[in-house]
Amino acid sequence: MTDTRPLGADEAAFLAAARSGDPARFALITERHRRELQVHCYRMLANYEDAQDLTQETFLRAWNKRESFKGHAALRTWLYRIATNACLDFLEKRNDRTPVPAGLPGAGSEVLYLQPYPDRMLPEDPQESVVARETIELAFIVAVQHLPLRQRAVLILRDVLGWPASKAADALELTVASVTSALQRARVTMREQLPGRRLDWRSPATHELPEDERSVVKSYMDAHERNDLDGLVALLRDDLRFAMLPEPGTSVVTAKDAVDGWVSGGLFQRGHDDWRCIATTVNRMPAAVLYLRTPGDPEHRLFTIAVLRIVDGKIAELTGFDATGKPWLSLPATL
C-alpha cells in the first residue's frame, strides 16, 4: 500500500524504532495514535471495552509486523489498516456482535452490546475532531452496526476518514470496483437507518453542545430530583425512542407511556425517589448521570447514565446505560 507522499519524520522515526527492536521506543511512537485508533475500533465495534482490546491488538500486530513497514505509506494509514482488519477478524469470530430483533412493534432491532464512549478519550487531532460529533453519536454507531462487515469497513474508511477508493481497496484487499459497490450499498442502508439526517460526515461539525441542549439536560435533572413526573413528560417527545442497555426492549412510546412505565417499574416510588444528578457528555451527546439514595444509605450511589438526543428542545431519544462497573467513564461512585 502506498501514498503519494515523501517519507515523513513520523515514518522515519518508526522505521528506526522498528529496526532497533526496542519495544519501548516503538511504543513511544505508536502511542500518539492510540486515541484515534480506539475511536476507529469503536465505530467498527460499538463497544468501548472491545475497542480498547482491539487497539491493543493493533499495536501488538504492528510490533509483530514491524519489518513489513517500508515507509511507502503513512504510518497512520498503516496502523488504520491493521486496526480495521483486527476488528474484522474479531467480528468474524463472534456471533453476539450483530443487532437483534427488538421484539416490539416499531422498534426495529437493537444493539445490546452498545456502550457509551467517554468524551475525554476522544482524540484531539483536528483531522478527527471536525467530524467527531456526527460520527460518534449513538445513532450513527448503531446504524453502522446494521452493515455487513466489509460494507461497514468501507463506509468508515471512505466516508468518515475520507480515504480514496484505491487506498480503501488496498487496506481491505478488495478491488476498487468492489469498494465502490460496497460503499453504494452501505450508503443506502445508512439512509434507511438515519432518515432525515445529514450524511456528509466529512464536512465540519461542531462538538460544542448548544445552549438549548444544556438547558434541556438541566430541566431533566431538576425534574428527577423533584420527582416531577409532569415535568418529565413535558420534556419528552411523543415519539420517544427509549432503551435501557444491555437489557433488551427498545421501545417507541409516547411521553406519558414512558414515564408511566418507569413508575410501574418502581422508579419514583418510595425507596426509589431520592435522586441527585450531574450533567456530562458521552459520544459528544448530552447526558445526565443519575444517583439514587435508598432508605438507610447515607449516600447517593451511581445508578444510570441517560444519554439524550434532543430535537427542537425536546428529548427524542433516551438511551440508558447501567453506569456501575464502568471505571472508564470516570464517574464518582457516590455523591
Side-chain angles (χ1 to χ4, degrees), residues 41-73:
C41 292
Y42 177 74
R43 289 186 179 119
M44 289 286 295
L45 305 171
N47 183 283
Y48 181 84
E49 291 168 311
D50 289 344
Q52 280 187 312
D53 292 344
L54 268 294
T55 302
Q56 200 58 40
E57 172 67 15
T58 296
F59 289 144
L60 178 61
R61 291 189 183 194
W63 170 254
N64 291 333
K65 297 178 179 179
R66 63 192 183 279
E67 293 182 0
S68 70
F69 182 78
K70 306 299 182 184
H72 301 308

Side-chain angles (χ1 to χ4, degrees), residues 170-181:
D170 203 2
L172 298 171
E173 298 183 347
L174 299 172
T175 65
V176 170
S178 294
V179 164
T180 301
S181 176

